[in-house]
Amino acid sequence: MNETRMGNPHVLVIPYPAQGHVIPLMELSQCLANHGFRVTFVNTEYNHKLVKNALSTKEDMWGQIHLVSVPDGLESLEDRNKPGKISEAILRVMPRNVERLIEKIHGSAIEKISCVLADQSIGWALEIAEKMGIKRAAFCPAAAALLVLSLSIPKLIDDGIIDCEGTPTKKQIIKLSPTMPDMNTANFVWASIGNKNAQKNIFELMVNNNRSLKLTDWLLCNSTYELEAAAFSLAPEILPIGPLLASTRLGDTAGNFWPEDSTCLKWLDEQPPKSVIYIAFGSMTVFDPIQFQELAMGLEICNRQFLWVVRPDVIEKINDAFTESFQERAATHGKIVSWVPQQKVLRHPSIACFISHCGWNSTMEGVSNGVPFLCWPYFADQFLNRSYICDVWKVGLGFTRDARGIITRDEIKSKVERLLENEEYKGRALKLKEMVLNNIAEGGESYKNFKNFIEWLKT
Ligand code: UDP
């Protein structure tokens, strides 16, 4: 241990075990480490291996951040990909393993844990901390509006909008307040993930999390006041500290599950300014083969440069012949990669727009770089984020599905053209970027919230 830092508070950081949670919590951990805190970062064993494998820097460069792991009790990758199984493991297996980990740390010569900083999605970690007499803070890597929705569950039940298991009583559009984005009850986060069992577990987790939040001194989130004014006025206890970006620390993103292919940055350097369509669907979206081919054909008829992230597991059954001939035809103006340094890609001047599944991290990263969006949400909070992008901030357009549920090549071409030919989208995106980044500049609201949090950690 670094002698000069001995005695600095030791923070245990626990993300929900998914890529979109690990990256922002790792970013927050690096901010804490830069302030001299010792951080122990807890992944599941499975994710720990992925993260270690994908790390571009040597572990000893990490100094104050220690990556550790706990078992999640799942045996196969197949189980891990089933929403019902993973939520079951998170609810019933991980808590006792995390408790044991803290006991082990406290029984060793390592500095005791002085604060548990838990992902808001796993409120049980706050309960463990309280039971063990450790101070605690929660961090939500999603929109504040999602948290407000979660906190509104009792009212939604009282008002007959959902039943006690979270099932919407009917499909309808609601608003949590007149200035909040529209929410379609069929797209409620718990109602749009996986099967009935997954819905039940996720709803239970959210109800439990609302209870656990009463035990925390801090409820931080990766957002800003201006982006979600209505949500923050409904729940002023939520404090934004976003946008959390590696570039603010002049560092690199960490916590990737796949190694980054940085060759795309060189390729982007060779493209004209604002010419490239960037296409990425986060870490979990899986494509139906017909839709996958339709997207490829859509990109082809757009006849513009594109950079497309095709994760190795993005499609269940890949048609090699199609992919090869597509790649051959597109080689002059398109690049397909398996995982990119997304924050750097979005910051690149050659990016024109972002075809996105609207995960919250991707949303914040696009907004922070003034990039207009084409929205293609799949599940969870992605529909809500799309409402923000298209209806509230007006920095993007949504795709419309046809009667088969497919987003056709013509729809892709027409929306790309509409977005890029109307400069108002880019203009608003640049204004939004400026407003958002002011928050993390010295004296900005997110900056102040984070500073106050640091002061509290030190006490
Ligand atoms: N990401 C990345 N490289 C890629 C694709 C995604 O680094 O090629 C990162 C992206 O920058 C974001 C995260 O993965 O930080 C995905 O989180 P998001 O909330 O957007 O989506 P999720 O994966 O949770 O659906």
Side-chain angles (χ1 to χ4, degrees):
M1 185 196 224
N2 184 335
E3 287 301 317
T4 56
R5 293 187 166 186
M6 209 148 155
N8 271 345
H10 182 179
V11 185
L12 190 82
V13 178
I14 320 175
Y16 181 94
Q19 179 71 99
H21 295 244
V22 170
I23 289 179
L25 270 156
M26 192 71 98
E27 185 52 45
L28 186 49
S29 298
Q30 303 211 58
C31 296
L32 294 178
N34 281 350
H35 280 81
F37 294 97
R38 180 192 171 102
V39 175
T40 293
F41 194 95
V42 190
N43 271 311
T44 58
E45 281 175 356
Y46 184 79
N47 291 348
H48 179 73
K49 279 193 200 127
L50 294 176
V51 167
K52 295 272 278 195
N53 195 32
L55 269 184
S56 55
T57 49
K58 291 208 178 69
E59 210 198 328
D60 56 8
M61 288 182 67
W62 279 67
Q64 293 295 104
I65 302 180
H66 301 258
L67 303 179
V68 300
S69 63
V70 293
D72 60 14
L74 294 171
E75 285 176 6
S76 65
L77 178 59
E78 207 178 42
D79 278 353
R80 229 163 245 111
N81 287 338
K82 289 184 192 144
K85 284 273 183 191
I86 185 83
S87 47
E88 186 84 21
I90 292 160
L91 264 174
R92 320 212 191 277
V93 181
M94 280 184 71
R96 64 171 182 271
N97 290 336
V98 167
E99 190 166 347
R100 277 190 204 131
L101 173 75
I102 300 176
E103 282 165 0
K104 201 169 134 206
I105 293 173
H106 285 189
S108 74
I110 304 172
E111 192 105 10
K112 288 202 169 21
I113 305 291
S114 44
C115 178
V116 168
L117 172 55
D119 195 313
Q120 175 273 330
S121 324
I122 48 167
W124 49 257
L126 300 169
E127 291 175 23
I128 292 173
E130 194 231 13
K131 195 173 87 182
M132 299 177 93
I134 304 170
K135 64 182 185 180
R136 50 224 164 257
F139 171 77
C140 170
L146 182 67
L147 207 44
V148 171
L149 172 68
S150 174
L151 294 168
S152 308
I153 286 174
K155 185 164 185 323
L156 294 175
I157 296 175
D158 282 352
D159 293 349
I161 293 169
I162 53 173
D163 68 17
C164 296
E165 291 193 336
T167 307
T169 47
K170 65 173 180 207
K171 197 174 153 190
Q172 58 180 317
I173 307 286
I174 63 147
K175 267 182 183 291
L176 294 177
S177 82
T179 44
M180 282 284 280
D182 285 350
M183 294 186 185
N184 184 333
T185 55
N187 293 336
F188 277 160
V189 62
W190 56 88
S192 64
I193 295 184
N195 51 30
K196 205 73 192 143
N197 193 30
Q199 168 178 323
K200 193 172 150 288
N201 283 336
I202 288 165
F203 190 71
E204 183 183 335
L205 200 57
M206 290 179 82
V207 169
N208 291 353
N209 291 342
N210 284 345
R211 196 185 55 224
S212 319
L213 278 182
K214 299 202 172 80
L215 304 173
T216 184
D217 290 303
W218 290 83
L219 180 48
L220 306 168
C221 90
N222 186 16
S223 188
T224 73
Y225 283 119
E226 296 95 336
L227 282 177
E228 302 193 78
F232 288 111
S233 73
L234 282 176
E237 67 274 28
I238 309 174
L239 301 176
I241 55 167
L244 287 171
L245 302 166
S247 53
T248 316
R249 288 180 291 110
L250 306 176
D252 289 328
T253 307
N256 289 294
F257 286 2
W258 295 273
E260 289 171 342
D261 179 346
S262 293
T263 58
C264 61
L265 296 174
K266 215 167 154 287
W267 181 83
L268 285 173
D269 287 343
E270 290 155 12
Q271 311 309 319
K274 289 191 271 174
S275 65
V276 178
I277 308 171
Y278 172 58
I279 310 108
F281 292 87
S283 59
M284 292 191 292
T285 310
V286 174
F287 265 76
D288 156 273
I290 297 176
Q291 181 64 83
F292 184 80
Q293 292 195 16
E294 204 59 29
L295 170 55
M297 298 314 294
L299 292 174
E300 190 161 355
I301 60 170
C302 277
N303 208 16
R304 292 172 188 260
Q305 281 93 329
F306 67 85
L307 172 65
W308 184 9
V309 178
V310 180
R311 286 190 338 266
D313 57 350
V314 80
I315 179 163
E316 273 166 13
K317 226 166 114 230
I318 202 138
N319 178 341
D320 288 330
F322 169 80
T323 312
E324 270 167 36
S325 84
F326 171 72
Q327 288 211 46
E328 231 166 72
R329 290 193 309 275
T332 50
H333 61 285
K335 189 164 170 70
I336 296 181
V337 281
S338 56
W339 192 254
V340 301
Q342 180 165 296
Q343 294 189 20
K344 287 186 184 159
V345 165
L346 287 168
R347 215 166 55 244
H348 199 286
S350 68
I351 295 297
C353 66
F354 184 8
I355 297 188
S356 171
H357 72 309
C358 307
W360 185 249
N361 295 294
S362 295
T363 303
M364 287 300 280
E365 290 160 7
V367 162
S368 304
N369 287 292
V371 178
F373 289 83
L374 287 164
C375 300
W376 189 316
Y378 266 77
F379 57 82
D381 56 341
Q382 296 158 13
F383 298 98
L384 170 64
N385 303 341
R386 185 214 24 209
S387 290
Y388 267 138
I389 292 169
C390 300
D391 310 332
V392 181
W393 310 326
K394 300 187 169 47
V395 292
L397 291 169
F399 287 118
T400 307
R401 292 178 186 273
D402 72 2
R404 299 165 300 160
I406 295 283
I407 295 175
T408 63
R409 63 192 76 176
D410 293 331
E411 166 69 2
I412 293 166
K413 180 172 190 278
S414 126
K415 288 286 163 63
V416 166
E417 282 170 2
R418 252 179 72 191
L419 187 84
L420 296 184
E421 282 164 13
N422 181 344
E423 291 190 357
E424 288 181 11
Y425 289 101
K426 182 69 183 175
R428 278 191 293 266
L430 288 174
K431 275 202 194 123
L432 197 63
K433 166 191 170 176
E434 199 185 320
M435 199 169 79
V436 163
L437 292 187
N438 279 340
N439 281 276
I440 45 173
E442 199 169 339
E445 295 299 326
S446 292
Y447 176 92
K448 284 194 244 168
N449 284 338
F450 181 67
K451 203 156 170 267
N452 291 339
F453 175 57
I454 293 285
E455 292 308 318
W456 171 83
L457 276 179
K458 286 181 182 160
T459 56

